[in-house]
Structures are given as structure tokens and as C-alpha cells.
Amino acid sequence: MRDATTCVITPVIDESGFRALGPTIHRASTIVFEDAEAYATRAKRGPDGFSYGLYGTPTTRTLAARITALAGGARSYLVPSGQGGNATALLAVLSHGDHLLLPDTCYPAMRSFAAEDLVRFGIATEYYGPTSIADLKSRLRPETALIWCKSPGSSTLEVQDLPAIAELAQDAGVLVGIDNTWGTCLGLKPIDFGFDIVVEALTKYAAGHSDVLMGAVTLRTEALAEKLRGSLGRLGIGVSPDDCALVLRGMETMPLRMAQSTRGAEALIPLLQASPAVDRVLWPALPGDPGHALWKRDFTAAAGVFSVLLAPGASDRLNAALDRLTTFAIGASWGGTRSLIAPMSVAPFRSVQPWTGEDLVLRISVGVEDVADLQDDILSFLSVLEKD
Ligand SMILES: *Cc1c(COP(=O)(O)O)cnc(C)c1O
């Protein structure tokens, strides 16, 4: 063999005796075949076979298998972001003429996806009150194809009665899906309630270090999984094995990071509640929260992500207070090792129950820093907010 050929042919190494605990990263666009017949019949290899890098490598399948093991269901598919999971799940199951029910508290990008994109394909979207089964039921139509859930609600954290919604959907012969990013595949198992589609932004707790974007879609049945697999292939959507390896590594500590994040939230919330600058803290794990009973019944964990409503007048000093923070960083997204705080707007994203009062919710995501440092930071933040 001449040098230029040797340069491009990967040497075969004897791997016997080598076993590592972490996943092997298989990078490939091209997958080669043992003979002409194998190549000619590659499309028949099915969802577990390999035919082209876009459709999966052993590394991407390893992460998908871990998500399925935790979420239940038949199969999971990976997409480049959490919102990518929401959008591709809807595209795979909705058709022209269908009616979609979105909760008033859905992830904001779902509203614009429905209004700008789904509408062009002749899919009508209607919003329902997230906590009223009667309201949801009254909006069902013969052409309703999917009820979507988001529990707890975006920014305002209302908890939905998921088993009741799944039962309603099943009785009506309608698919039911959920954005389970806050609950995660550890803390909430919607497939067990009869949900057909579960989306999780792995960007948050699963990846867990604020450096990867990824989404997972888990399907209850093989038939639904096959639908999504087809759509993703035709749309040309796949994920990088390197990113999957980061998420696989992140997930090894996910239960520990989530538990620490919850402990941090429990340590910070009393300081916030005691401040005259704070009107209310919204977090379903708090006894007294309107969603607490349903959270306790259905969830086994709480994300350390909660919202704070300020007392009248306090928001005038918000920017000065935010600028005082040293341990907390100012930024969106959440579920990483660093604690984050972000002022959010709610009013433009509510249509069934208009948002009254000040259009400002502070979202706090607690990371894994020493809780005492976070408490010091919040106390200095509050001291600026409280000043007359
Ligand atoms: C962050 C988030 C998403 C979107 O995830 P990306 O990976 O940032 O696209 C979707 N749903 C919820 C509830 C989220 O918090």
C-alpha cells in the first residue's frame, strides 16, 4: 500500500481486553457495508439498524436507550434542542385540518410555532386553561388530534392534572403529549399516566453544564416512534455523537445535581418569602402552592427552578439589585451547575387567562454552588430591592 492510501485507511486495532465505563464516541456520516447486497437492502435495516450517520450511531443510540429506560415507552429520538423536540413531535403527528389544544402556559416558542408555522399547514390551534379539565373538555372538537401539556406551566408553574388529561384524551381518541423539561425523566413519568409523547430539553438538567443543546422525544408506541423516525429523516434532523457523549456524562450526576438544586431552592425561598420586596414565590414543591397536592401525587422530585413575584414598587430597583449579584449569573436557560436569575415577561404569552398586574416574573434556577454563598448573594440582592 502506498503512503497516500495508508493515510486514509483507518488501521484495525485489537480492542480485546479494553473496556471503559464511559461511552465510545462513534463519529460517522458514511457507514460502509460488508457487501453489495447489504448496501442494496440498507433501507430495510429498521430503527435498530445503521445505514447513515444522520439516522444514528452507536453513541446516539446509547443516549436514546438511556432516555427510554428512564422515561418508559417504546423508543426515544434525539433532536438538536428542546424546542426542536416540541416542534418535530407536533409535525410528525399533525395533519392539514387537525385541531391542536395547547395549554395557556405552554413554552412560549410553541405559541409562535403554532401561529407562524402550523397555521400555514392548515392546523388550527386553540388554547385551554391548564388547570381546568372542564375547560379542556369543552374545547374538544371532532377534528382535535392532539392535546399538549406543559406542567408545571412556563414561568407561572401551575400543575396540571396529567392522569385526568390522559384519560380524557384516551376517551376522546386524541393523542396526548407533554413538555416534561421541568419534571425531567427522573421526576415525572408521563408515559405511566398514558401519555403518547414526552419531550424533554436535555439542554437543562440532563446535559447539566450549560454547554450543550439537545432534546429528546419519547413515544409510547412503536407506531408513533416510526412516524417520528420518518419525519426526522425527511427533515434531515440528527444530533452529534460528541454532544451525546456530553449528555451521557452529564446524566451520570443528574440525580445528585438535581437533589442539590432542590436543597438550594429550599434554602433560598424562605429568605425571599420573608422580604417585604417579595409578593409571592411560585414553586409547586412548596406546601401552600396551588399545585402542591398534584405535584406531591404525581412527581417524585422538584427542579430547583422557581419564580418570584415582586411586591409593588420593588421592580424599580431590580436592575440595581441584579447588578449586585456575584454568585448568581444573569441569564436564561437553567438546569446547569451555576445559579441563574432572569426577569421574564408573562403577559404576551397568556390568552385564556390574561396576566394581570406587573408583567415581570423573576425566574431563579439554583445550581450546585455552596448554599451559604447563594444565601449571601440573595440577601444582598434583597437589601437593594428593599431600599426606599
Ligand atoms: C428550555 C426549554 C425548552 C427548550 O429547550 P432548548 O434546548 O433551549 O430549545 C423547552 N421547554 C422547556 C420547558 C424549557 O425549559
Short mmCIF file of all heavy atoms in Angstrom, two decimals, residues 156-212:
data_model
loop_
_atom_site.label_atom_id
_atom_site.label_comp_id
_atom_site.label_asym_id
_atom_site.label_seq_id
_atom_site.Cartn_x
_atom_site.Cartn_y
_atom_site.Cartn_z
N THR A 156 -45.08 30.50 35.38
CA THR A 156 -46.02 30.61 36.49
C THR A 156 -46.26 29.28 37.22
O THR A 156 -46.93 29.26 38.24
CB THR A 156 -47.35 31.21 35.99
OG1 THR A 156 -47.68 30.59 34.74
CG2 THR A 156 -47.20 32.71 35.75
N LEU A 157 -45.76 28.19 36.71
CA LEU A 157 -45.64 26.90 37.39
C LEU A 157 -46.95 26.28 37.91
O LEU A 157 -46.95 25.60 38.94
CB LEU A 157 -44.60 27.00 38.51
CG LEU A 157 -43.20 27.25 37.93
CD1 LEU A 157 -42.50 28.40 38.62
CD2 LEU A 157 -42.34 26.02 38.03
N GLU A 158 -48.06 26.47 37.16
CA GLU A 158 -49.30 25.78 37.51
C GLU A 158 -49.14 24.29 37.21
O GLU A 158 -48.62 23.93 36.15
CB GLU A 158 -50.47 26.31 36.69
CG GLU A 158 -50.79 27.78 36.90
CD GLU A 158 -49.98 28.72 36.02
OE1 GLU A 158 -48.96 28.29 35.43
OE2 GLU A 158 -50.36 29.90 35.92
N VAL A 159 -49.62 23.42 38.11
CA VAL A 159 -49.50 21.98 37.88
C VAL A 159 -50.80 21.45 37.27
O VAL A 159 -51.89 21.78 37.73
CB VAL A 159 -49.18 21.24 39.21
CG1 VAL A 159 -49.03 19.75 38.96
CG2 VAL A 159 -47.91 21.81 39.83
N GLN A 160 -50.67 20.66 36.21
CA GLN A 160 -51.84 20.10 35.52
C GLN A 160 -52.17 18.71 36.09
O GLN A 160 -51.26 18.00 36.54
CB GLN A 160 -51.56 19.99 34.02
CG GLN A 160 -51.28 21.32 33.37
CD GLN A 160 -51.28 21.20 31.85
OE1 GLN A 160 -50.24 21.05 31.23
NE2 GLN A 160 -52.45 21.25 31.25
N ASP A 161 -53.46 18.35 36.01
CA ASP A 161 -53.87 17.01 36.44
C ASP A 161 -53.61 16.05 35.27
O ASP A 161 -54.50 15.76 34.46
CB ASP A 161 -55.34 17.02 36.85
CG ASP A 161 -55.75 15.71 37.53
OD1 ASP A 161 -55.04 14.69 37.34
OD2 ASP A 161 -56.78 15.70 38.22
N LEU A 162 -52.39 15.57 35.17
CA LEU A 162 -51.97 14.80 33.99
C LEU A 162 -52.70 13.47 33.83
O LEU A 162 -53.11 13.14 32.71
CB LEU A 162 -50.45 14.60 34.02
CG LEU A 162 -49.64 15.92 34.02
CD1 LEU A 162 -48.15 15.62 34.20
CD2 LEU A 162 -49.89 16.71 32.74
N PRO A 163 -52.89 12.67 34.90
CA PRO A 163 -53.64 11.42 34.70
C PRO A 163 -55.06 11.69 34.18
O PRO A 163 -55.55 10.96 33.31
CB PRO A 163 -53.66 10.78 36.10
CG PRO A 163 -52.46 11.36 36.80
CD PRO A 163 -52.35 12.76 36.27
N ALA A 164 -55.71 12.75 34.69
CA ALA A 164 -57.07 13.06 34.23
C ALA A 164 -57.06 13.51 32.76
O ALA A 164 -57.96 13.14 31.99
CB ALA A 164 -57.69 14.15 35.11
N ILE A 165 -56.04 14.27 32.38
CA ILE A 165 -55.96 14.72 30.98
C ILE A 165 -55.69 13.53 30.06
O ILE A 165 -56.27 13.42 28.97
CB ILE A 165 -54.88 15.82 30.83
CG1 ILE A 165 -55.33 17.08 31.59
CG2 ILE A 165 -54.62 16.14 29.36
CD1 ILE A 165 -54.28 18.19 31.66
N ALA A 166 -54.82 12.61 30.50
CA ALA A 166 -54.54 11.42 29.69
C ALA A 166 -55.81 10.58 29.51
O ALA A 166 -56.08 10.07 28.41
CB ALA A 166 -53.43 10.59 30.34
N GLU A 167 -56.59 10.49 30.57
CA GLU A 167 -57.83 9.69 30.49
C GLU A 167 -58.82 10.35 29.54
O GLU A 167 -59.44 9.68 28.70
CB GLU A 167 -58.43 9.56 31.91
CG GLU A 167 -59.48 8.47 32.00
CD GLU A 167 -60.16 8.44 33.36
OE1 GLU A 167 -59.51 8.78 34.38
OE2 GLU A 167 -61.36 8.09 33.38
N LEU A 168 -58.94 11.68 29.66
CA LEU A 168 -59.83 12.44 28.77
C LEU A 168 -59.42 12.23 27.31
O LEU A 168 -60.26 11.99 26.43
CB LEU A 168 -59.77 13.93 29.13
CG LEU A 168 -60.61 14.89 28.32
CD1 LEU A 168 -62.09 14.70 28.63
CD2 LEU A 168 -60.22 16.34 28.61
N ALA A 169 -58.12 12.30 27.06
CA ALA A 169 -57.62 12.14 25.69
C ALA A 169 -57.92 10.74 25.17
O ALA A 169 -58.36 10.56 24.03
CB ALA A 169 -56.12 12.43 25.65
N GLN A 170 -57.67 9.74 26.02
CA GLN A 170 -57.91 8.36 25.59
C GLN A 170 -59.39 8.14 25.27
O GLN A 170 -59.73 7.53 24.26
CB GLN A 170 -57.44 7.38 26.67
CG GLN A 170 -56.03 6.88 26.37
CD GLN A 170 -55.32 6.33 27.61
OE1 GLN A 170 -55.95 5.99 28.61
NE2 GLN A 170 -54.00 6.25 27.53
N ASP A 171 -60.28 8.66 26.14
CA ASP A 171 -61.73 8.52 25.91
C ASP A 171 -62.13 9.18 24.60
O ASP A 171 -63.03 8.72 23.91
CB ASP A 171 -62.52 9.13 27.06
CG ASP A 171 -62.39 8.31 28.34
OD1 ASP A 171 -61.89 7.17 28.26
OD2 ASP A 171 -62.77 8.82 29.42
N ALA A 172 -61.46 10.29 24.26
CA ALA A 172 -61.83 11.04 23.06
C ALA A 172 -61.07 10.54 21.82
O ALA A 172 -61.30 11.02 20.71
CB ALA A 172 -61.54 12.53 23.27
N GLY A 173 -60.16 9.58 22.00
CA GLY A 173 -59.38 9.07 20.87
C GLY A 173 -58.42 10.10 20.32
O GLY A 173 -58.17 10.17 19.11
N VAL A 174 -57.86 10.92 21.22
CA VAL A 174 -56.97 12.01 20.83
C VAL A 174 -55.59 11.72 21.42
O VAL A 174 -55.48 11.22 22.53
CB VAL A 174 -57.54 13.34 21.41
CG1 VAL A 174 -56.55 14.47 21.31
CG2 VAL A 174 -58.85 13.70 20.72
N LEU A 175 -54.54 12.05 20.68
CA LEU A 175 -53.18 11.88 21.22
C LEU A 175 -52.93 12.91 22.32
O LEU A 175 -53.51 14.00 22.30
CB LEU A 175 -52.15 12.06 20.12
CG LEU A 175 -52.07 10.97 19.05
CD1 LEU A 175 -51.11 11.41 17.94
CD2 LEU A 175 -51.63 9.63 19.65
N VAL A 176 -52.05 12.56 23.25
CA VAL A 176 -51.72 13.49 24.33
C VAL A 176 -50.20 13.50 24.54
O VAL A 176 -49.56 12.45 24.60
CB VAL A 176 -52.52 13.16 25.62
CG1 VAL A 176 -52.23 11.75 26.12
CG2 VAL A 176 -52.24 14.17 26.73
N GLY A 177 -49.65 14.71 24.60
CA GLY A 177 -48.20 14.86 24.75
C GLY A 177 -47.85 15.92 25.77
O GLY A 177 -48.71 16.72 26.18
N ILE A 178 -46.60 15.93 26.21
CA ILE A 178 -46.18 16.88 27.25
C ILE A 178 -44.73 17.30 27.06
O ILE A 178 -43.89 16.50 26.64
CB ILE A 178 -46.38 16.24 28.66
CG1 ILE A 178 -45.98 17.22 29.77
CG2 ILE A 178 -45.61 14.94 28.80
CD1 ILE A 178 -46.37 16.77 31.17
N ASP A 179 -44.48 18.55 27.40
CA ASP A 179 -43.11 19.05 27.56
C ASP A 179 -42.73 18.80 29.02
O ASP A 179 -43.22 19.46 29.93
CB ASP A 179 -43.09 20.55 27.23
CG ASP A 179 -41.69 21.17 27.35
OD1 ASP A 179 -40.86 20.63 28.11
OD2 ASP A 179 -41.45 22.21 26.71
N ASN A 180 -41.88 17.79 29.24
CA ASN A 180 -41.54 17.34 30.60
C ASN A 180 -40.15 17.86 31.03
O ASN A 180 -39.44 17.18 31.77
CB ASN A 180 -41.58 15.81 30.66
CG ASN A 180 -41.48 15.27 32.08
OD1 ASN A 180 -41.92 15.92 33.03
ND2 ASN A 180 -40.89 14.10 32.23
N THR A 181 -39.78 19.04 30.59
CA THR A 181 -38.43 19.53 30.88
C THR A 181 -38.23 19.84 32.37
O THR A 181 -37.19 19.52 32.93
CB THR A 181 -38.14 20.78 30.02
OG1 THR A 181 -38.23 20.39 28.65
CG2 THR A 181 -36.76 21.33 30.31
N TRP A 182 -39.23 20.41 33.03
CA TRP A 182 -39.08 20.74 34.46
C TRP A 182 -39.09 19.45 35.29
O TRP A 182 -38.26 19.28 36.18
CB TRP A 182 -40.22 21.69 34.89
CG TRP A 182 -40.08 22.29 36.27
CD1 TRP A 182 -39.55 23.51 36.57
CD2 TRP A 182 -40.51 21.72 37.52
NE1 TRP A 182 -39.62 23.73 37.93
CE2 TRP A 182 -40.20 22.65 38.54
CE3 TRP A 182 -41.12 20.52 37.89
CZ2 TRP A 182 -40.48 22.42 39.89
CZ3 TRP A 182 -41.40 20.29 39.23
CH2 TRP A 182 -41.08 21.23 40.22
N GLY A 183 -40.00 18.55 34.99
CA GLY A 183 -40.08 17.30 35.76
C GLY A 183 -38.88 16.41 35.53
O GLY A 183 -38.40 15.75 36.45
N THR A 184 -38.41 16.37 34.32
CA THR A 184 -37.32 15.51 33.83
C THR A 184 -37.73 14.03 33.87
O THR A 184 -38.67 13.65 34.57
CB THR A 184 -35.97 15.65 34.60
OG1 THR A 184 -36.02 14.89 35.81
CG2 THR A 184 -35.60 17.09 34.87
N CYS A 185 -36.97 13.21 33.15
CA CYS A 185 -37.24 11.77 33.12
C CYS A 185 -37.00 11.12 34.48
O CYS A 185 -37.36 9.97 34.68
CB CYS A 185 -36.41 11.10 32.02
SG CYS A 185 -34.64 11.46 32.17
N LEU A 186 -36.42 11.86 35.42
CA LEU A 186 -36.24 11.32 36.77
C LEU A 186 -37.44 11.63 37.66
O LEU A 186 -37.86 10.79 38.46
CB LEU A 186 -34.98 11.91 37.43
CG LEU A 186 -33.65 11.65 36.75
CD1 LEU A 186 -32.52 12.36 37.50
CD2 LEU A 186 -33.38 10.16 36.68
N GLY A 187 -38.01 12.81 37.53
CA GLY A 187 -39.01 13.27 38.50
C GLY A 187 -40.45 13.13 38.09
O GLY A 187 -41.35 13.25 38.93
N LEU A 188 -40.72 12.85 36.81
CA LEU A 188 -42.12 12.70 36.36
C LEU A 188 -42.14 11.72 35.19
O LEU A 188 -41.37 11.86 34.25
CB LEU A 188 -42.69 14.06 35.91
CG LEU A 188 -44.16 14.03 35.45
CD1 LEU A 188 -45.10 13.80 36.63
CD2 LEU A 188 -44.54 15.31 34.72
N LYS A 189 -43.06 10.74 35.25
CA LYS A 189 -43.12 9.67 34.25
C LYS A 189 -44.47 9.69 33.53
O LYS A 189 -45.34 8.86 33.80
CB LYS A 189 -42.91 8.31 34.93
CG LYS A 189 -41.74 8.26 35.94
CD LYS A 189 -40.42 7.93 35.26
CE LYS A 189 -39.30 7.73 36.29
NZ LYS A 189 -37.99 7.47 35.70
N PRO A 190 -44.67 10.64 32.61
CA PRO A 190 -45.99 10.78 31.98
C PRO A 190 -46.44 9.55 31.18
O PRO A 190 -47.65 9.32 31.04
CB PRO A 190 -45.82 11.99 31.06
CG PRO A 190 -44.64 12.73 31.61
CD PRO A 190 -43.74 11.67 32.15
N ILE A 191 -45.49 8.76 30.66
CA ILE A 191 -45.89 7.55 29.91
C ILE A 191 -46.71 6.63 30.82
O ILE A 191 -47.67 6.01 30.38
CB ILE A 191 -44.64 6.81 29.37
CG1 ILE A 191 -43.81 7.73 28.48
CG2 ILE A 191 -45.02 5.49 28.70
CD1 ILE A 191 -43.99 7.65 27.00
N ASP A 192 -46.35 6.60 32.11
CA ASP A 192 -47.08 5.76 33.07
C ASP A 192 -48.54 6.20 33.21
O ASP A 192 -49.40 5.41 33.58
CB ASP A 192 -46.43 5.80 34.46
CG ASP A 192 -45.07 5.11 34.49
OD1 ASP A 192 -44.72 4.45 33.48
OD2 ASP A 192 -44.37 5.25 35.51
N PHE A 193 -48.81 7.50 32.95
CA PHE A 193 -50.19 8.00 33.04
C PHE A 193 -50.95 7.77 31.73
O PHE A 193 -52.12 8.11 31.63
CB PHE A 193 -50.22 9.51 33.32
CG PHE A 193 -49.49 9.94 34.56
CD1 PHE A 193 -48.77 11.12 34.59
CD2 PHE A 193 -49.53 9.15 35.71
CE1 PHE A 193 -48.10 11.53 35.73
CE2 PHE A 193 -48.85 9.55 36.86
CZ PHE A 193 -48.14 10.73 36.87
N GLY A 194 -50.27 7.28 30.69
CA GLY A 194 -50.93 7.06 29.40
C GLY A 194 -50.57 8.09 28.35
O GLY A 194 -51.21 8.14 27.29
N PHE A 195 -49.57 8.93 28.62
CA PHE A 195 -49.16 9.91 27.61
C PHE A 195 -48.52 9.21 26.41
O PHE A 195 -47.86 8.18 26.56
CB PHE A 195 -48.19 10.95 28.20
CG PHE A 195 -48.93 12.09 28.83
CD1 PHE A 195 -49.72 11.90 29.96
CD2 PHE A 195 -48.88 13.37 28.28
CE1 PHE A 195 -50.43 12.94 30.53
CE2 PHE A 195 -49.59 14.43 28.84
CZ PHE A 195 -50.37 14.21 29.96
N ASP A 196 -48.75 9.78 25.22
CA ASP A 196 -48.22 9.20 23.98
C ASP A 196 -46.86 9.77 23.62
O ASP A 196 -46.06 9.09 22.98
CB ASP A 196 -49.20 9.49 22.82
CG ASP A 196 -50.56 8.90 23.07
OD1 ASP A 196 -50.66 7.66 23.11
OD2 ASP A 196 -51.52 9.67 23.26
N ILE A 197 -46.64 11.04 23.94
CA ILE A 197 -45.42 11.75 23.52
C ILE A 197 -44.87 12.51 24.72
O ILE A 197 -45.61 13.25 25.38
CB ILE A 197 -45.73 12.76 22.40
CG1 ILE A 197 -46.45 12.09 21.22
CG2 ILE A 197 -44.46 13.48 21.95
CD1 ILE A 197 -47.03 13.07 20.22
N VAL A 198 -43.59 12.34 25.01
CA VAL A 198 -42.95 13.09 26.09
C VAL A 198 -41.68 13.74 25.53
O VAL A 198 -40.82 13.06 24.98
CB VAL A 198 -42.58 12.18 27.28
CG1 VAL A 198 -41.89 12.97 28.37
CG2 VAL A 198 -43.83 11.50 27.84
N VAL A 199 -41.61 15.07 25.68
CA VAL A 199 -40.42 15.81 25.21
C VAL A 199 -39.66 16.32 26.43
O VAL A 199 -40.27 16.76 27.41
CB VAL A 199 -40.84 17.00 24.32
CG1 VAL A 199 -39.64 17.88 23.99
CG2 VAL A 199 -41.50 16.49 23.03
N GLU A 200 -38.34 16.22 26.37
CA GLU A 200 -37.52 16.82 27.43
C GLU A 200 -36.38 17.59 26.78
O GLU A 200 -35.70 17.07 25.88
CB GLU A 200 -36.97 15.72 28.36
CG GLU A 200 -36.10 16.29 29.48
CD GLU A 200 -35.69 15.25 30.53
OE1 GLU A 200 -36.30 14.16 30.56
OE2 GLU A 200 -34.77 15.54 31.30
N ALA A 201 -36.17 18.83 27.21
CA ALA A 201 -34.98 19.58 26.78
C ALA A 201 -33.81 19.04 27.60
O ALA A 201 -33.67 19.38 28.78
CB ALA A 201 -35.18 21.08 26.99
N LEU A 202 -32.99 18.21 26.99
CA LEU A 202 -31.81 17.65 27.67
C LEU A 202 -30.79 18.75 27.95
O LEU A 202 -29.89 18.58 28.77
CB LEU A 202 -31.18 16.54 26.83
CG LEU A 202 -32.11 15.37 26.47
CD1 LEU A 202 -31.36 14.36 25.61
CD2 LEU A 202 -32.65 14.69 27.72
N THR A 203 -30.97 19.88 27.23
CA THR A 203 -30.18 21.10 27.46
C THR A 203 -30.12 21.46 28.94
O THR A 203 -29.12 22.01 29.40
CB THR A 203 -30.87 22.26 26.71
OG1 THR A 203 -31.05 21.89 25.36
CG2 THR A 203 -30.08 23.54 26.82
N LYS A 204 -31.18 21.15 29.68
CA LYS A 204 -31.30 21.60 31.06
C LYS A 204 -30.59 20.63 32.00
O LYS A 204 -29.38 20.53 31.97
CB LYS A 204 -32.79 21.80 31.39
CG LYS A 204 -33.52 22.70 30.38
CD LYS A 204 -33.09 24.15 30.46
CE LYS A 204 -33.60 25.02 29.33
NZ LYS A 204 -35.03 25.05 29.10
N TYR A 205 -31.32 19.87 32.82
CA TYR A 205 -30.65 19.06 33.84
C TYR A 205 -29.83 17.90 33.29
O TYR A 205 -28.84 17.49 33.89
CB TYR A 205 -31.66 18.52 34.85
CG TYR A 205 -31.99 19.50 35.94
CD1 TYR A 205 -33.25 20.08 36.00
CD2 TYR A 205 -31.06 19.87 36.90
CE1 TYR A 205 -33.57 20.98 37.00
CE2 TYR A 205 -31.36 20.77 37.90
CZ TYR A 205 -32.62 21.33 37.94
OH TYR A 205 -32.93 22.22 38.92
N ALA A 206 -30.25 17.30 32.18
CA ALA A 206 -29.55 16.10 31.70
C ALA A 206 -28.13 16.45 31.26
O ALA A 206 -27.15 15.89 31.76
CB ALA A 206 -30.34 15.45 30.57
N ALA A 207 -28.00 17.41 30.36
CA ALA A 207 -26.65 17.86 29.96
C ALA A 207 -26.01 18.54 31.17
O ALA A 207 -24.88 18.22 31.55
CB ALA A 207 -26.72 18.79 28.77
N GLY A 208 -26.75 19.48 31.75
CA GLY A 208 -26.44 19.94 33.10
C GLY A 208 -25.27 20.88 33.29
O GLY A 208 -24.97 21.25 34.42
N HIS A 209 -24.58 21.29 32.23
CA HIS A 209 -23.41 22.16 32.42
C HIS A 209 -23.43 23.38 31.49
O HIS A 209 -22.39 23.97 31.21
CB HIS A 209 -22.11 21.35 32.22
CG HIS A 209 -21.93 20.28 33.26
ND1 HIS A 209 -22.68 19.12 33.28
CD2 HIS A 209 -21.11 20.21 34.34
CE1 HIS A 209 -22.32 18.37 34.32
NE2 HIS A 209 -21.37 19.01 34.98
N SER A 210 -24.62 23.73 31.01
CA SER A 210 -24.83 24.96 30.22
C SER A 210 -23.96 25.02 28.96
O SER A 210 -23.60 26.11 28.51
CB SER A 210 -24.56 26.22 31.08
OG SER A 210 -25.22 26.12 32.31
N ASP A 211 -23.60 23.84 28.41
CA ASP A 211 -22.73 23.88 27.23
C ASP A 211 -23.20 22.99 26.08
O ASP A 211 -22.48 22.82 25.10
CB ASP A 211 -21.29 23.49 27.62
CG ASP A 211 -21.20 22.15 28.33
OD1 ASP A 211 -22.26 21.48 28.49
OD2 ASP A 211 -20.10 21.76 28.73
N VAL A 212 -24.40 22.43 26.18
CA VAL A 212 -24.93 21.59 25.10
C VAL A 212 -26.41 21.90 24.92
O VAL A 212 -27.12 22.12 25.90
CB VAL A 212 -24.86 20.07 25.43
CG1 VAL A 212 -25.15 19.24 24.18
CG2 VAL A 212 -23.57 19.68 26.05
#
